[in-house]
Amino acid sequence: MILDPAQRRAGQIHIATPRLETPFHSRIAALSTTNDWYSWAGYKAPHSVFDDELEYFAIRSTAALFDISPMVKYRIRGVDSERFLNRLTLRDVRKLQPGRVQYTAWCDDHGHVLDDGTLFRLAETDFRLCCQERHLPWLTDSADGFNVTIEEETETLAAVALQGPTSFSVLDAAGFAGVETLKPFQISTFQHQDHEILISRTGFTGDLGYELFAPAEIALSLWDRIWAAGQLFGLQAIGYGALNRTRIEAGFIVANTDFTTAETALRPDRQRLPDEIGLDWLVDPDKPYFNGRDAILKARRTKSLKYILVGLEIEGNVPAEHALVYHRKSREAGIVTAGIWSPTAKRNIAIATLTRPFGEQILDDLWVEIYAMRELQYQKLMKRAKIVPRPFVKLPRRTVTPPGRF
């Protein structure tokens, strides 16, 4: 069948529909030499800017800027905001003081993880929840009976991550006096062009780093202020490819990469309890009732957990992402969800989901099946793997306060 031009155009609407551009997009596009973009929550985001490997070394050796504006952001305010969020999330929000950030996760009534993210307590009854997926309908439904307001800030609030050993020096040179006092997971407000911006000592690289939040209308001038100050400290703009390498080294997980969120899972066996993806330490069973509590505690009590998330060290230097994991080279035990050769650890590392009892009772004689491209032909490699703790890379500078100057 031959399609006329109008039919072809109609069939390409989904391709022609432009992705949204973040407030920082013009600056990143001007720096981009790879033109390597991907879609993040409907936004055009860089997978790389100039070179994946050099961008990685910018994070670990100097400083790097990564646009996190597409990260979904919700503002939750009201007299019941603490009680609402305590019902919603796994950790005890009552312990989160104003000016602090809490890594957390939240579940449906069956205890399956809907998402993970960071919860900022901006004031006594004022919170910001940052996450991977959009949850506004679920949040508003869950808020029934609570005196709270919920507003999505994703489009109006620009955000950028500044990560790496010289990141503090960049902010200091940019004139953000007092930023040296910020401890990990602490936040403070600063002035920029007669506007208030928020800086948190947080990040997704396992390195010294900060995240800056500002009204979208002053995003470009904030970028320029940081960029100008950073030229003496090796500052580079980076894409997700480099960031992903560092988050694997840090042992961090990503929703819908290392686990499937409950709302997006098409099959029941794809859903995960917190204990099945390494988030058991977030669960506070002593706090008031929260979503999924009964199911999570029942699974622990009856020992009915089916999966476990582990760190692997694999022989050789061929990354094992999406490789199958076997016991004794014959029985399938799980799958690698993320894997790289780590330049910092000098090891072949991976994050994997295993089916229990593998990873819990059976720890030895594990192998991964890697298919490596060699001169246009795939070569099957069976490489020995051993379970190791996460993080794979632990950098003391991440927590030193005040950070070292350069």
Side-chain angles (χ1 to χ4, degrees):
M1 180 176 68
I2 299 176
L3 299 178
D4 62 36
Q7 288 174 311
R8 285 199 298 271
R9 284 195 297 271
Q12 293 173 351
I13 288 175
H14 68 290
I15 299 174
T17 301
R19 289 168 289 183
L20 298 171
E21 294 181 353
T22 76
F24 298 114
H25 177 77
S26 61
R27 294 296 187 267
I28 299 170
L31 295 168
S32 176
T33 60
T34 61
N35 199 29
D36 182 13
W37 305 90
Y38 74 104
S39 183
W40 176 11
Y43 284 85
K44 191 175 183 181
H47 187 271
S48 66
V49 177
F50 62 98
D51 183 281
D52 254 0
E53 291 192 13
L54 294 179
E55 290 169 36
Y56 163 86
F57 283 109
I59 302 172
R60 289 290 184 246
S61 303
T62 55
L65 275 176
F66 178 70
D67 184 2
I68 56 173
S69 299
M71 178 174 62
V72 182
K73 302 174 282 290
Y74 295 109
R75 192 71 170 267
I76 301 169
R77 290 177 275 204
V79 295
D80 288 339
S81 54
E82 179 187 87
R83 193 164 64 91
F84 167 62
L85 287 164
N86 215 27
R87 168 65 185 265
L88 198 74
T89 63
L90 299 177
R91 299 182 75 174
D92 195 338
V93 180
R94 298 173 303 178
K95 298 177 181 178
L96 180 61
Q97 298 299 312
R100 298 288 298 173
V101 186
Q102 192 180 71
Y103 172 63
T104 191
W106 46 101
C107 302
D108 61 17
D109 289 338
H110 304 289
H112 298 130
V113 177
L114 287 161
D115 210 344
D116 66 336
T118 47
L119 180 63
F120 292 67
R121 190 162 198 166
L122 307 178
E124 191 65 32
T125 60
D126 189 358
F127 295 83
R128 175 175 293 137
L129 184 65
C130 301
C131 50
Q132 176 78 2
E133 303 295 318
R134 284 191 160 83
H135 299 286
L136 189 58
W138 180 77
L139 287 171
T140 53
D141 287 347
S142 301
D144 188 32
F146 293 93
N147 186 359
V148 296
T149 60
I150 303 170
E151 174 191 1
E152 181 166 353
E153 298 181 310
T154 307
E155 290 188 18
T156 59
L157 191 67
V160 65
L162 174 62
Q163 304 285 299
T166 68
S167 56
F168 160 66
S169 295
V170 172
L171 290 179
D172 186 55
F176 292 105
V179 74
E180 70 277 1
T181 64
L182 283 181
K183 298 178 181 179
F185 292 96
Q186 188 175 8
I187 61 180
S188 188
T189 56
F190 298 83
Q191 290 297 310
H192 175 70
Q193 286 196 336
D194 298 323
H195 286 76
E196 190 174 84
I197 69 167
L198 183 82
I199 299 180
S200 61
R201 189 167 168 182
T202 51
F204 203 54
T205 62
D207 214 314
L208 172 64
Y210 304 84
E211 292 174 334
L212 293 82
F213 299 82
E217 60 267 24
I218 62 168
L220 292 181
S221 62
L222 177 62
W223 177 284
D224 292 343
R225 178 178 175 180
I226 298 169
W227 190 256
Q231 296 314 294
L232 292 175
F233 302 100
L235 181 63
Q236 299 285 354
I238 64 163
Y240 180 72
L243 183 83
N244 188 52
R245 293 189 189 198
T246 57
R247 75 90 183 171
I248 294 172
E249 290 181 333
F252 297 148
I253 60 174
V254 174
N256 290 320
T257 296
D258 299 295
F259 71 97
T260 302
T261 59
E263 282 190 328
T264 59
L266 299 178
R267 300 174 179 84
D269 65 342
R270 300 299 193 266
Q271 299 169 332
R272 295 291 184 267
L273 296 163
D275 296 35
E276 294 175 325
I277 56 173
L279 300 184
D280 49 301
W281 63 277
L282 295 180
V283 179
D284 189 341
D286 297 324
K287 75 170 193 171
Y289 184 85
F290 56 91
N291 287 3
R293 180 183 187 276
D294 291 348
I296 294 169
L297 298 186
K298 180 182 178 182
R300 291 179 176 183
R301 187 172 62 252
T302 60
K303 301 186 184 303
S304 57
L305 295 164
K306 297 178 181 178
Y307 306 96
I308 189 169
L309 188 137
V310 300
L312 294 179
E313 182 177 335
I314 302 164
E315 67 176 347
N317 61 3
V318 181
E321 186 163 282
H322 300 149
L324 291 176
V325 183
Y326 289 91
H327 181 240
R328 295 179 179 174
K329 297 186 180 181
S330 57
R331 185 177 174 187
E332 190 173 323
I335 188 170
V336 171
T337 57
I340 60 164
W341 166 259
S342 166
T344 299
K346 301 294 188 292
R347 294 185 292 162
N348 197 15
I349 59 175
I351 297 172
T353 290
L354 305 183
T355 304
R356 299 178 191 238
F358 301 109
E360 182 184 40
Q361 299 172 17
I362 302 175
L363 306 176
D364 298 326
D365 212 355
L366 296 176
W367 300 76
V368 293
E369 181 183 53
I370 305 171
Y371 285 86
M373 178 68 79
R374 295 286 186 269
E375 296 180 345
L376 301 182
Q377 185 172 336
Y378 277 109
Q379 178 182 357
K380 178 181 174 181
L381 307 173
M382 291 296 289
K383 295 293 185 179
R384 188 179 293 276
K386 65 177 180 178
I387 295 174
V388 296
R390 293 177 295 143
F392 304 100
V393 172
K394 191 171 184 178
L395 302 169
R397 63 178 177 249
R398 183 190 181 198
T399 56
V400 171
T401 305
R405 294 180 181 271
F406 287 85

